[in-house]
Amino acid sequence: MQIIRDLLTLRAARSQLSGRVALVPTMGALHEGHRTLVVEAARLAERRIVSIFVNPTQFGPGEDLSRYPRQEAADAAMLAAEGVDILWAPPVEVVYPAGFATSVHVGGITDALEGAARPGHFDGVATVVAKLFGQATPDVALFGEKDYQQLAVIRRMVADLDIAVDIVGVPTVRDADGLALSSRNAYLTRSERTAALALPRALAAAAAAIRRGDPVPATLEAASATLHSAGFSRIDYVALRDASTLAAMTRLDAPARLLAAAVVGTTRLIDNIAVDPE
Ligand code: AMP
């Protein structure tokens, strides 16, 4: 596996790759969820590029950019063992050189949920992903359903900008007890890790209730209350949304997604699950 940190070398190495090329964009601190994307990428393409870039522009003021976990050597060892061709790990000044002045804004779908809780977040995400597509020129790119709204935003962006990259979503990988794997789980103390389990459990319970016909608003409020009593200090949202447009839903009349974001200790966690009508 080549580890590349500058654009000229990346372009040269990319031009040597024959067949379909997959890109898996990440911020590093890789876990089994990321590994699943990398393994899935091998089924879709002959060659694989993984990027590790902790993108400063998708972090808001007061967010965890400076303490975001970084462990590139361990990440590189895992990716090499998986047979990845290129690890693209550019420094910030390669991605955002002096004079950089462009931003990609995806409208509408970014207004609510993560977009409302983290103003500017999706501009940072869309801009860096557009750049990663321009840098690595993949045929296909894989994203986790763990970041469900992000996946929807990227799909919207490539459709709107006629970007010729197939976008593939990969189901969320969870620990045995149900907690979605996340690089941010590393921040959790033992007791916070226990409290955090309420998130997937509350989502599963609310999804089951909605499926059997319980009223949506009351069910979402109950899920919020459950998270509060489990030890979450702030609930940003618990929301039922159309699975493809992310439009708000008050009745389960189309395939839906139940999404939540909440803070335990100093850690903000997100999770989501499918809720399909009978
Ligand atoms: P990140 O490094 O957190 O930016 O994530 C990089 C990619 O991995 C994104 O497409 C995420 O949605 C995906 N990802 C993160 N956690 C998981 C997980 N538990 N299961 C599946 N994909 C994940």
Side-chain angles (χ1 to χ4, degrees):
M1 183 179 75
Q2 262 184 287
I3 301 180
I4 301 179
R5 303 183 195 279
D6 70 276
L7 217 39
L8 274 180
T9 311
L10 179 68
R11 291 216 193 286
R14 169 65 182 88
S15 70
Q16 297 300 308
L17 298 179
S18 56
R20 261 170 86 78
V21 173
L23 173 68
V24 178
T26 82
M27 298 204 301
L30 302 181
H31 51 62
E32 196 58 27
H34 299 110
R35 203 180 67 80
T36 301
L37 297 184
V38 169
V39 169
E40 185 60 23
R43 300 188 339 113
L44 302 171
E46 282 78 44
R47 299 294 181 176
R48 286 169 294 165
I49 303 175
V50 174
S51 61
I52 294 181
F53 180 63
V54 182
N55 175 36
T57 67
Q58 71 189 69
F59 288 77
E63 290 188 0
D64 56 345
L65 173 62
S66 59
R67 67 165 181 153
Y68 198 83
R70 291 164 204 252
Q71 45 166 64
E72 194 193 286
D75 291 348
M78 185 275 267
L79 296 172
E82 288 299 334
V84 165
D85 297 277
I86 294 173
L87 168 54
W88 170 229
V92 172
E93 60 274 17
V94 165
V95 179
Y96 301 113
F100 184 84
T102 299
S103 176
V104 178
H105 175 75
V106 179
I109 201 162
T110 59
D111 288 345
L113 307 171
E114 289 303 283
R118 305 180 66 189
H121 170 67
F122 284 123
D123 290 358
V125 168
T127 305
V128 82
V129 170
K131 283 181 63 81
L132 290 166
F133 287 175
Q135 293 162 351
T137 62
D139 299 291
V140 55
L142 295 90
F143 294 86
E145 289 183 350
K146 163 76 172 32
D147 299 279
Y148 195 81
Q149 189 179 13
Q150 167 175 279
L151 174 59
V153 169
I154 302 300
R155 287 192 195 284
R156 182 80 258 162
M157 178 184 77
V158 301
D160 290 354
L161 297 183
D162 309 313
I163 295 174
V165 178
D166 294 336
I167 304 301
V168 173
V170 176
T172 301
V173 178
R174 297 174 182 280
D175 264 337
D177 59 9
L179 186 69
L181 296 183
S182 165
S183 306
R184 292 190 166 98
N185 292 354
Y187 302 147
L188 300 171
T189 65
R190 262 176 102 90
S191 62
E192 289 164 0
R193 172 70 181 67
T194 305
L197 261 189
L199 183 57
R201 288 181 179 165
L203 287 179
I210 290 168
R211 249 183 242 117
R212 55 167 195 265
D214 288 7
V216 171
T219 305
L220 300 180
E221 274 165 39
S224 243
T226 303
L227 293 178
H228 259 307
S229 32
F232 280 86
S233 56
R234 191 182 90 213
I235 320 296
D236 283 346
Y237 55 83
V238 179
L240 186 72
R241 297 282 166 150
D242 181 281
S244 49
T245 64
L246 293 186
M249 292 173 94
T250 46
R251 287 186 313 120
L252 186 60
D253 47 12
R257 208 82 191 179
L258 187 57
L259 307 102
V263 175
V264 61
T266 58
T267 308
R268 185 172 180 280
L269 298 177
I270 60 172
D271 200 354
N272 68 86
I273 57 170
V275 193
D276 293 319
E278 296 281 285

